[in-house]
Amino acid sequence: ARYALAANAPETADAEFTWKDFQMRCNTELLGKFGNFVHRVLVFARQHCGGRVPEEGTLQDVDRSFLEKIGHLVDLAKLSYSTFHLRKACQILMELSTAGNAYFDLKKPWVLAKQPDQKESLETTIYCCIECIKNLSLIASPIIPSSSQKIWEQLGFSTEISRLLWDH
């Protein structure tokens, strides 16, 4: 509910709340983009990386580009929060979720998993995806704090995420 309200928050004009918009934001955005990406990466990491965060490995251009995009979107999210633009922060959260899903689909780790000589590439892919999830958790924490904390803990961090916001 908090996410849907923030995503529809008035910034320059009045906002209009509808149950249809609320349902769409919860189902399509939070579950379909954000939740789907986090779930598929963490399940894949558990099955193919021994449940650990793999090493960065050798980055290809696509990996570097993805990591740069993460950094850029995190900077935009920081700016959005610091200027009290919650709607923009929600848009950035969804943009990063979409970028994570697109990267995962582009890299096709399920294909890499079938090729033993591609283990390093697979692990680099999962490393980059987990970097994305880590940053998604940080961006989402002011809006969906309990879910962000659970994701943060699934990544192996014990610190309360609200204490770390933007200090990483």
Side-chain angles (χ1 to χ4, degrees):
R2 190 178 297 175
Y3 168 79
L5 292 172
N8 197 33
E11 291 183 352
T12 58
D14 290 341
E16 184 177 315
F17 176 85
T18 65
W19 285 108
K20 185 174 179 114
D21 181 67
F22 176 80
Q23 181 181 15
M24 182 280 302
R25 291 193 186 279
C26 290
N27 291 337
T28 303
E29 294 178 0
L30 282 180
L31 292 174
K33 291 180 183 178
F34 181 81
N36 181 50
F37 176 65
V38 171
H39 176 75
R40 61 198 293 222
V41 170
L42 294 183
V43 166
F44 199 90
R46 184 175 59 239
Q47 292 174 347
H48 299 282
C49 300
R52 63 176 175 72
V53 177
E55 297 294 319
E56 181 179 278
T58 304
L59 297 174
Q60 299 173 351
D61 288 343
V62 67
D63 305 318
R64 279 189 286 280
S65 177
F66 179 54
L67 293 173
E68 287 171 11
K69 182 170 190 141
I70 292 169
H72 173 70
L73 291 172
V74 167
D75 289 343
L76 288 177
K78 288 178 187 180
L79 179 62
S80 296
Y81 281 123
S82 69
T83 57
F84 304 101
H85 290 103
L86 295 181
R87 180 184 286 181
K88 182 67 177 169
C90 290
Q91 291 168 349
I92 293 165
L93 177 67
M94 287 305 113
E95 187 175 346
L96 185 53
S97 297
T98 299
N101 276 304
Y103 172 81
F104 191 82
D105 290 343
L106 177 70
K107 292 294 298 248
K108 295 180 175 53
W110 56 92
V111 173
L112 297 173
K114 296 176 184 174
Q115 302 169 6
D117 63 326
Q118 294 296 314
K119 179 125 177 100
E120 182 184 355
S121 181
L122 177 143
E123 290 187 346
T124 297
T125 299
I126 299 305
Y127 167 84
C128 291
C129 287
I130 289 176
E131 279 298 301
C132 184
I133 291 171
K134 181 173 82 173
N135 285 285
L136 280 168
S137 298
L138 287 167
I139 293 171
S141 64
I143 301 166
I144 46 175
S146 61
S147 294
S148 296
Q149 183 64 39
K150 287 177 187 173
I151 293 167
W152 193 248
E153 290 168 3
Q154 287 178 341
L155 294 176
F157 299 113
S158 59
T159 311
E160 191 174 318
I161 197 169
S162 63
R163 294 181 186 200
L164 297 175
L165 197 56
W166 314 127
D167 289 340
H168 72 291

